[in-house]
Amino acid sequence: MTAATTATTTATTVAVRSAGRRQLAGTGVLLRFALRRDRVLIPVWVAVNTLMVLSMPNTLGSLYGTAAQRADLLHQMAANSSLRALVGPVFDDSLGALTAWRVGVYAGALAAVTSLLVVVRHTRDEEESGRQELVASGMVGRRAPLTAALLAAAVANALLALLVTAGLAGQGTAGALAFGLGLAGVGMVFATMAAIVAQLTESARLARGLTAAVLGAAFVLRAAGDSATDDGSSVATWLSPLGWLENLRSFAGERWWVLLLFAAAVLVQGAAAYALAGRRDVGMSFLPTRPGPAAGRPATAGALAWRLQRGGVLGWSVGFLLAGIVYGGLTEGAADLVGDNDKAREIFERMGGHSAITDAFLASMTGMLGLIAALYVVGSVLRLHGEETSGRAEPVLAGAVGRLRWAAGHLSVAFGGSALIMLFAGLGFAIGYGKRTGPILGACLVQLPAVWVVGGLALLLYGLAPRFAPAAWGVAGAVLLIGWVGPALDAPRFVLDLSPFGHLPKLPGGPMAWAPVLTLTGLAVVLVAGGLAGLRRRDITS
């Protein structure tokens, strides 16, 4: 090789490295800014996920304290395809393996949701609001925002993996490490998936919806595969990242090579996201937005809110209908699964009321869907905050539309939509169970006052202190944690009463108590009124 060739090669290498550094300029600053903005979101959701996982060993130890009880559980799961579709197959009877079985799918799904929210928030949300264009005018590389968003998601998942590994180390260090890395792997797979979708779409709402739809498809694939086989070997299971998590077999002869699937998916999807990010302008997308009609029509604030949120309402309705069908189909087998296990019966009774095991199961499942509906109402109410901070609310309010009319449009979708999705859940239970349609519908609808209280708190935060409005997600996470973990840990009554759901009557099976229902409804009205009063008096972000 001649000296000239060597010099040319060296110069090319230096130029490539320099260009790469320019592409990532400002990443550290943007990462610190992202973590500062998510100083509530990430710790709360990581804490909820971690506590859900770490509460399981003691709970399962009290439920299945003998080797005979655990062997019977494995036999029942092998024979019950519906339960395998719900929570996956069991690979070992140790407490660690049972913990990975019982919460693995749901902890992985929660890690995925947290990751996709973080990535979309710091990529497409920033571009949609116009802030990214302002940032890009400084000394910030083209790929720095995407890198900072992925690193923020990586921090959240690394924290989750560390806490889960440390908390479960007593059940076996290798299994705890595998399970923690598996949860982080699922989170990063959907973080990079969200990064790709954020390049393809022009709307943050659509990016979140499409990535969530991929997560839903992954859950369905895993459920279909697990219902067909009892060892996780189905092709459908292997097509889902949630299936990879269960096939990692934490605490049951770990398959460390499965972690390579997570690594490969993250690298391939990350590379695709970086390639797409380098080939489009800020604010643009690869999937063009469909143009509106040539001539506009008069519209109300409510019609605008419905158009903006109708996709979310439809998606939640379909999801709750399917969940109701699945849970309803499991109702007949609930008594067989509990059998003579007094501890399991006690937990169902604490969640669903002191009634027959079938009624207690129905009450506990409708209660769980009510807790999840609280997440919907918070997201829908906080759409007001998103419209304001993005600047889209200002031109609407500059016309003849007042603040209260504008807010009322979104609130009607939030509170009315929560009633609609719980109604679909009741219809799903009626389809899956095939009996007692009226009582089951009542059990679903009685959750609404508690759901509305959570929505009212979100509106109060937005109306009085919009800067702290995202803290409503922390409220929803705390309510979910109390409702999910509290009964299993036999938490004191005052802890359960911190959640509005702890005051609701346990239907079906229990007596209908109108006093707490009316009290919670009145509290929701007061919170909404306080939030609207605060919104009316404060300045709108411009």
Side-chain angles (χ1 to χ4, degrees):
M1 181 179 295
T2 64
T5 303
T6 302
T8 301
T9 303
T10 302
T12 303
T13 303
V14 171
V16 169
R17 291 177 178 175
S18 177
R21 286 194 294 269
R22 289 196 300 271
Q23 292 281 328
L24 299 178
T27 299
V29 175
L30 292 178
L31 174 60
R32 290 193 295 272
F33 178 63
L35 293 177
R36 178 177 173 80
R37 288 187 64 195
D38 289 338
R39 63 187 181 275
V40 174
L41 175 67
I42 289 178
V44 166
W45 283 103
V46 169
V48 168
N49 209 347
T50 302
L51 291 174
M52 180 178 69
V53 172
L54 300 188
S55 68
M56 280 297 111
N58 288 336
T59 302
L60 293 169
S62 64
L63 289 174
Y64 307 102
T66 67
Q69 289 176 324
R70 293 193 290 270
D72 185 55
L73 174 64
L74 265 64
H75 175 73
Q76 291 174 359
M77 291 302 302
N80 195 321
S81 61
S82 297
L83 289 173
R84 290 200 308 273
L86 185 63
V87 291
V90 187
F91 297 114
D92 193 75
D93 62 358
S94 68
L95 288 180
L98 292 179
T99 297
W101 156 72
R102 184 61 185 84
V103 297
V105 171
Y106 298 100
L110 190 56
V113 170
T114 304
S115 300
L116 72 90
L117 289 177
V118 168
V119 171
V120 174
R121 184 183 190 190
H122 297 297
T123 53
R124 180 52 64 180
D125 255 333
E126 291 295 285
E127 294 188 36
E128 193 175 1
S129 68
R131 289 188 294 265
Q132 185 55 55
E133 187 173 8
L134 179 63
V135 171
S137 64
M139 298 181 63
V140 175
R142 176 184 288 270
R143 293 180 172 87
L146 176 59
T147 305
L150 290 175
L151 287 176
V155 168
N157 286 293
L159 180 61
L160 175 64
L162 179 63
L163 293 175
V164 168
T165 300
L168 294 180
Q171 307 298 326
T173 305
L177 179 60
F179 191 53
L181 291 177
L183 292 178
V186 172
M188 288 309 300
V189 166
F190 282 94
T192 50
M193 172 64 71
I196 292 176
V197 176
Q199 312 306 315
L200 298 177
T201 64
E202 197 169 338
S203 163
R205 174 168 45 90
L206 182 58
R208 282 188 287 266
L210 289 178
T211 312
V214 175
L215 175 58
F219 187 91
V220 170
L221 282 172
R222 183 215 53 84
D226 287 343
S227 67
T229 63
D230 62 358
D231 60 355
S233 61
S234 171
V235 173
T237 301
W238 282 105
L239 291 176
S240 167
L242 297 176
W244 302 348
L245 178 61
E246 72 178 33
N247 274 303
L248 186 56
R249 299 198 177 184
S250 305
F251 304 100
E254 293 77 18
R255 294 173 168 177
W256 295 103
W257 59 267
V258 175
L259 293 174
L260 296 177
L261 296 177
F262 292 110
V266 170
L267 290 175
V268 171
Q269 291 182 162
Y274 274 95
L276 292 173
R279 287 172 170 78
R280 67 175 181 87
D281 294 331
V282 174
M284 297 293 103
S285 65
F286 288 93
L287 299 178
T289 303
R290 186 176 62 181
R297 295 179 296 176
T300 63
L304 174 61
W306 170 248
R307 181 175 179 82
L308 292 173
Q309 298 202 46
R310 62 187 178 184
V313 175
L314 177 61
W316 280 88
S317 299
V318 172
F320 269 52
L321 176 65
L322 295 177
I325 293 173
V326 171
Y327 289 139
L330 295 175
T331 303
E332 292 286 2
D336 295 333
L337 178 63
V338 174
D340 297 328
N341 194 317
D342 293 334
K343 290 290 186 179
R345 186 179 297 272
E346 288 175 8
I347 290 179
F348 273 119
E349 288 177 350
R350 286 198 293 268
M351 294 180 68
H354 292 277
S355 56
I357 188 61
T358 299
D359 286 340
F361 178 81
L362 287 171
S364 62
M365 293 300 102
T366 54
M368 286 303 303
L369 290 180
L371 292 169
I372 297 173
L375 301 179
Y376 160 79
V377 78
V378 168
S380 186
V381 169
L382 291 186
R383 186 60 191 267
L384 290 165
H385 183 255
E387 291 294 298
E388 180 181 347
T389 56
S390 66
R392 291 189 294 267
E394 190 173 12
V396 174
L397 297 175
V401 178
R403 296 186 186 188
L404 297 186
R405 280 180 56 199
W406 169 70
H410 286 278
L411 294 180
S412 63
V413 177
F415 290 91
S418 61
L420 181 64
I421 66 175
M422 290 307 298
L423 178 62
F424 271 96
L427 293 176
F429 273 102
I431 295 171
Y433 185 39
K435 303 175 185 178
R436 306 174 61 192
T437 302
I440 294 176
L441 283 175
C444 288
L445 295 179
V446 82
Q447 308 296 321
L448 290 175
V451 174
W452 291 340
V453 166
V454 177
L457 284 170
L459 180 63
L460 186 67
L461 285 172
Y462 166 66
L464 297 180
R467 180 180 178 183
F468 299 102
W473 288 112
V475 174
V479 168
L480 184 64
L481 181 64
I482 292 172
W484 178 270
V485 178
L489 296 181
D490 196 14
R493 184 70 248 177
F494 79 89
V495 174
L496 299 179
D497 287 343
L498 293 175
S499 167
F501 291 90
H503 302 275
L504 295 173
K506 304 298 184 182
L507 302 178
M512 178 59 192
W514 285 103
V517 171
L518 295 177
T519 301
L520 289 173
T521 303
L523 177 59
V525 171
V526 171
L527 292 172
V528 169
L532 291 177
L535 175 64
R536 187 178 182 182
R537 287 173 172 78
R538 68 172 175 83
D539 293 334
I540 294 294
T541 303
S542 61

